[in-house]
Amino acid sequence: MLSVQENEVAVEQANEHVRTWVADMAKLCKPDQIVWCDGSAGERQALISDAVEDGTLIELNQKKWPGCHYHRSNSNDVARTEHLTFICTPSEDMVGPTNNYMNDREAYKKLTPLFDGCMQGRTMYVIPFVMGPLGSPLAKVGVQITDSPYVVLNMGIMTRMGQVAWDQLGDDADFTKCLHSVGDVNPDRRYICHFPLDNAIWSFGSGYGGNALLGKKCLALRIASFLGRQQDWMAEHMLLMGVEAPGGEKTYIAAAFPSACGKTNFAMLIPPKKYADAGWKVTTLGDDIVWMWVNPESGRLHAINPEAGYFGVVPGTNGRSNPNAMKCMARDTIFTNVALVPLDDGTYDVWWEDSDWPAPKKCINWEGKEWTPQIGKEKNMKAAHPNSRFTAPMSNNPVLDPAARDPAGVPVSAIIFGGRRSKTIPLVYQAFNWVHGVYIGATIGSETTAAATGQTGVVRRDPMAMLPFIGYNIRDYLVHWFQMRKKMSDCPRVFMVNWFRKNDAGKFLWPGFGENMRVLKWIVDRCHGRAYAKETILGWMPRAEDIDLEGLNLDVDDIRELERVDPAEVKAEILSQEELFLKLAGDLPKEMIFQRELLITRL
Ligand code: GTP
Ligand code: SPV
Ligand code: MN
């Protein structure tokens, strides 16, 4: 048995499979003690107190920010590291040309010495959690081992944590084994490794976001997409929203935009006054991940959000752009890598670029350095990191959809793809059919953002906004998308949007945020056969008069520019898709080739 100390009450709840695995991992990591988390409010309070004491968290001014805390991660550890993320299997063909591959035996061999003794002098936390509404046919149990109390606190918000997981697991061995250590936060010893055949994840050397909260991108997208392909369901990087039309008709929509391209904002959209007055309501089910399956009774695609909280981008969030997100983060929230503002009474406030408040005279920026507006300007230094985040429970969301916790999920009427494109891609168009829609999704191009390390602002192909998250060969992933059609008697309509087109002066042509309701209304109306569309080379598009512009400060030239499809630009776009097609080479699904040919013919 273990020589280290464990809390006996919690450990008793875990079954033999879990206990054996945890004992093995403890033997490897050699922690001073093991804490089995029960997910209770008392446990959370105690963890927060300890974290405040040792400086992991800083308590914010409790009048302004009740229950809220601040955390600054290592400045080398502020975004997902895609080049250090691996899919580990016996054969390279299983992971395909878009993933980093490591042979699974080699990966264990490489990571075992890193984990060996890594928790000496530290506490090992065992976090049982469920992804998905309790009782859902798709809900999955994971158990994460970590030496980071910050990770425990975030997992407590982002997942259903504690006893519920043991209840769902019963005597089963069917849980995702998530091993995590921050190690010494050295990027040279940072690996995020996935073992889909073992239902396991080993993450070392990062304490941040998608690298460390293993229920999120690692389990709910990479491992889940692998399982979904085998078991006829889908795990996608999508928000999930409800749209209620005047009179009460409800339409559920899922939308895939790459990281930091507007999912959280769209999922919490507040309709402009004119729409709200008319009775339009938008409600949130999820802001980042959906799991979807074909409901055998309805023959329709049903979706759940596997998460229980939001890990959202902070900069740019304010009372004008996203008032609902401001309400989400108003209490019981963890702020990571925004700026910390010391107040006169000894308490702390937070600040970020493009917030509701003027820049503080002086604060501590995301790197822990002194920041003043002057220093910021002179050194071109941000106060908050562009990928700084809030972690907030979804129960804080004032527009949480009543079905957000429904294990049966909701039927999806439309799938929207989108990207961040300053040129070429029009505001909105609709695919001719499912196969065309899959082609549109598979060829999304988007300018890279601060959500991952590396250069920002360069267009890359990001199929279904899943490039960094497909846990297997993209060839099989695309085939899976095409084949899902055959399992549905009634399939969602597919759309493409672009909120980010700019004019020559570099200014956004479309106001975005709440005003996206105008495009959303056209999409909903299309789903119900109410809106007009004209056929274009890209797909069905609204005429200028089909998008309501009343109350907007746009002139007709702006709208023409937003909707413009330039054949020369489309040609360049098709050419820039070649890189992805060449990677797939002989493995390219036939439907993709046919769709490209049809597009070229239409040109
Ligand atoms: P991840 O959490 O990384 O997956 O990101 P996300 O897709 O949820 O993106 P989010 O909604 O957090 O938005 C990212 C950035 O895009 C923020 O800085 C927003 O201010 C900005 N943004 C979101 N929606 C719009 C929009 O409609 N127009 C414009 N111009 N910017 C937007
Ligand atoms: C993303 O990068 O798409 C995110 C943030 O949602 S993270 O959890 O770090 O993946
Ligand atoms: Mn995301």
Side-chain angles (χ1 to χ4, degrees):
M1 272 326 280
L2 293 165
S3 56
V4 289
Q5 210 146 0
E6 297 183 70
N7 46 339
E8 287 302 328
V9 184
V11 69
E12 270 171 31
Q13 311 296 321
N15 73 29
E16 272 314 302
H17 304 286
V18 176
R19 284 204 225 188
T20 305
W21 173 68
V22 170
D24 287 346
M25 294 305 106
K27 218 186 273 168
L28 173 63
C29 300
K30 305 181 178 62
D32 281 12
Q33 57 164 345
I34 300 177
V35 170
W36 291 73
C37 300
D38 61 17
S40 64
E43 173 183 84
R44 186 169 185 82
Q45 261 329 304
L47 277 167
I48 288 176
S49 296
D50 290 353
V52 168
E53 199 150 306
D54 73 14
T56 304
L57 292 183
I58 292 172
E59 187 181 80
L60 296 180
N61 181 303
Q62 293 296 294
K63 268 210 200 95
K64 184 168 178 193
W65 299 106
C68 295
H69 294 83
Y70 175 81
H71 174 79
R72 195 183 303 122
S73 66
N74 192 306
S75 59
N76 76 30
D77 188 30
V78 294
R80 283 182 296 101
T81 44
E82 295 178 1
H83 61 297
L84 304 175
T85 301
F86 296 85
I87 309 293
C88 310
T89 64
S91 112
E92 197 162 353
D93 184 68
M94 289 182 75
V95 317
T98 56
N99 281 307
N100 299 313
Y101 171 70
M102 226 193 271
N103 172 275
D104 52 354
R105 298 301 119 192
E106 293 296 322
Y108 285 127
K109 223 193 277 171
K110 194 177 195 120
L111 269 68
T112 297
L114 297 176
F115 279 104
D116 190 1
C118 71
M119 295 187 191
Q120 274 165 10
R122 297 182 187 174
T123 298
M124 173 191 265
Y125 299 92
V126 181
I127 311 167
F129 63 95
V130 178
M131 299 308 290
L134 304 176
S136 169
L138 288 191
K140 298 266 171 298
V141 175
V143 181
Q144 176 161 351
I145 289 173
T146 183
D147 52 10
S148 161
Y150 167 79
V151 165
V152 180
L153 289 167
N154 276 274
M155 288 289 286
I157 296 173
M158 296 305 294
T159 73
R160 290 149 173 103
M161 174 179 152
Q163 185 62 40
V164 288
W166 302 140
D167 292 345
Q168 161 142 351
L169 188 60
D171 292 330
D172 237 56
D174 184 19
F175 65 97
T176 307
K177 303 177 206 66
C178 307
L179 176 63
H180 171 252
S181 171
V182 291
D184 54 359
V185 205
N186 180 344
D188 296 332
R189 283 193 293 275
R190 184 173 293 159
Y191 295 98
I192 297 91
C193 288
H194 304 71
F195 302 88
L197 296 181
D198 301 339
N199 197 7
I201 301 154
W202 282 25
S203 167
F204 189 87
S206 167
Y208 186 79
N211 288 344
L213 313 177
L214 300 188
K216 197 170 174 57
K217 296 310 193 332
C218 298
L219 191 165
L221 285 180
R222 299 197 188 93
I223 297 288
S225 63
F226 175 89
L227 294 174
R229 189 227 164 189
Q230 293 178 330
Q231 301 164 358
D232 285 344
W233 54 279
M234 308 168 89
E236 297 296 335
H237 191 201
M238 292 177 176
L239 66 92
L240 185 58
M241 62 172 22
V243 185
E244 194 182 310
E249 167 205 79
K250 191 87 186 237
T251 308
Y252 296 99
I253 293 176
F257 310 153
S259 300
C261 292
K263 289 184 298 301
T264 302
N265 278 275
F266 197 48
M268 296 177 186
L269 180 155
I270 296 183
K273 186 168 182 307
K274 171 182 168 184
Y275 287 80
D277 288 350
W280 289 91
K281 289 193 191 98
V282 172
T283 45
T284 318
L285 289 101
D287 80 328
D288 199 49
I289 300 177
V290 305
W291 289 352
M292 304 188 282
W293 73 103
V294 180
N295 179 297
E297 274 129 58
S298 66
R300 297 184 65 188
L301 203 54
H302 277 234
I304 54 166
N305 167 18
E307 302 191 282
Y310 310 119
F311 185 62
V313 174
V314 178
T317 309
N318 58 54
R320 285 151 290 129
S321 63
N322 194 346
N324 285 329
M326 292 305 297
K327 285 180 189 149
C328 288
M329 62 176 95
R331 55 180 58 248
D332 304 319
T333 290
I334 301 172
F335 290 91
T336 303
N337 296 339
V338 295
L340 183 69
V341 187
L343 300 175
D344 290 341
D345 62 0
T347 64
Y348 291 93
D349 194 358
V350 281
W351 189 79
W352 55 86
E353 276 77 10
D354 211 356
S355 67
D356 285 322
W357 308 280
K361 284 201 188 74
K362 197 160 135 183
C363 65
I364 307 161
N365 89 336
W366 64 273
E367 297 163 286
K369 293 181 182 155
E370 182 182 294
W371 186 96
T372 63
Q374 175 106 11
I375 294 174
K377 211 184 269 168
E378 276 167 14
K379 300 194 172 160
N380 191 22
M381 209 164 105
K382 297 261 192 233
H385 189 277
N387 192 38
S388 52
R389 300 260 167 177
F390 67 91
T391 322
M394 71 177 184
S395 53
N396 279 5
N397 185 348
V399 295
L400 188 69
D401 191 278
R405 298 186 184 88
D406 187 344
V410 294
V412 175
S413 296
I415 289 175
I416 305 177
F417 292 115
R420 181 184 286 268
R421 292 300 296 272
S422 41
K423 298 258 168 290
T424 312
I425 307 298
L427 181 63
V428 60
Y429 60 95
Q430 182 184 356
F432 295 121
N433 51 43
W434 179 265
V435 177
H436 182 222
V438 175
Y439 171 81
I440 289 172
T443 53
I444 293 178
S446 193
E447 289 150 21
T448 48
T449 66
T453 57
Q455 210 186 337
T456 60
V458 289
V459 175
R460 71 168 182 185
R461 293 300 126 191
D462 193 345
M464 278 75 179
M466 280 285 282
L467 179 73
F469 309 120
I470 302 169
Y472 58 103
N473 194 317
I474 186 172
R475 163 196 70 205
D476 302 328
Y477 174 79
L478 295 177
V479 168
H480 184 45
W481 263 88
F482 288 121
Q483 288 189 342
M484 284 304 288
R485 174 66 189 94
K486 304 190 179 111
K487 301 181 174 78
M488 293 180 249
S489 53
D490 181 11
C491 78
R493 312 288 181 272
V494 182
F495 299 83
M496 178 79 190
V497 299
N498 176 26
W499 313 139
F500 299 94
R501 201 164 187 176
K502 289 179 177 171
N503 64 14
D504 290 336
K507 204 178 147 277
F508 287 121
L509 285 162
W510 179 249
F513 301 101
E515 305 299 349
N516 292 333
M517 181 69 222
R518 297 164 190 270
V519 174
L520 185 57
K521 176 181 182 294
W522 183 77
I523 288 172
V524 168
D525 285 345
R526 286 293 294 167
C527 289
H528 299 287
R530 290 194 291 256
Y532 186 86
K534 64 178 182 219
E535 191 182 320
T536 73
I537 52 179
L538 292 182
W540 297 107
M541 279 179 72
R543 299 164 302 188
E545 65 261 40
D546 296 317
I547 300 284
D548 161 48
L549 296 175
E550 192 192 308
L552 281 188
N553 226 347
L554 290 179
D555 62 39
V556 267
D557 284 345
D558 291 330
I559 291 297
R560 273 197 208 112
E561 185 57 23
L562 271 164
E563 300 266 77
R564 189 170 57 89
V565 180
D566 178 338
E569 285 182 355
V570 174
K571 267 181 212 162
E573 184 71 8
I574 295 170
L575 284 176
S576 71
Q577 294 168 3
E578 286 304 298
E579 198 192 329
L580 177 72
F581 287 132
L582 285 174
K583 268 190 188 163
L584 277 151
D587 281 342
L588 195 61
K590 275 203 286 297
E591 293 91 333
M592 291 288 292
I593 300 168
F594 296 156
Q595 285 300 324
R596 183 181 51 176
E597 291 303 312
L598 286 170
L599 173 56
I600 292 169
T601 314
R602 289 195 299 270
L603 265 175

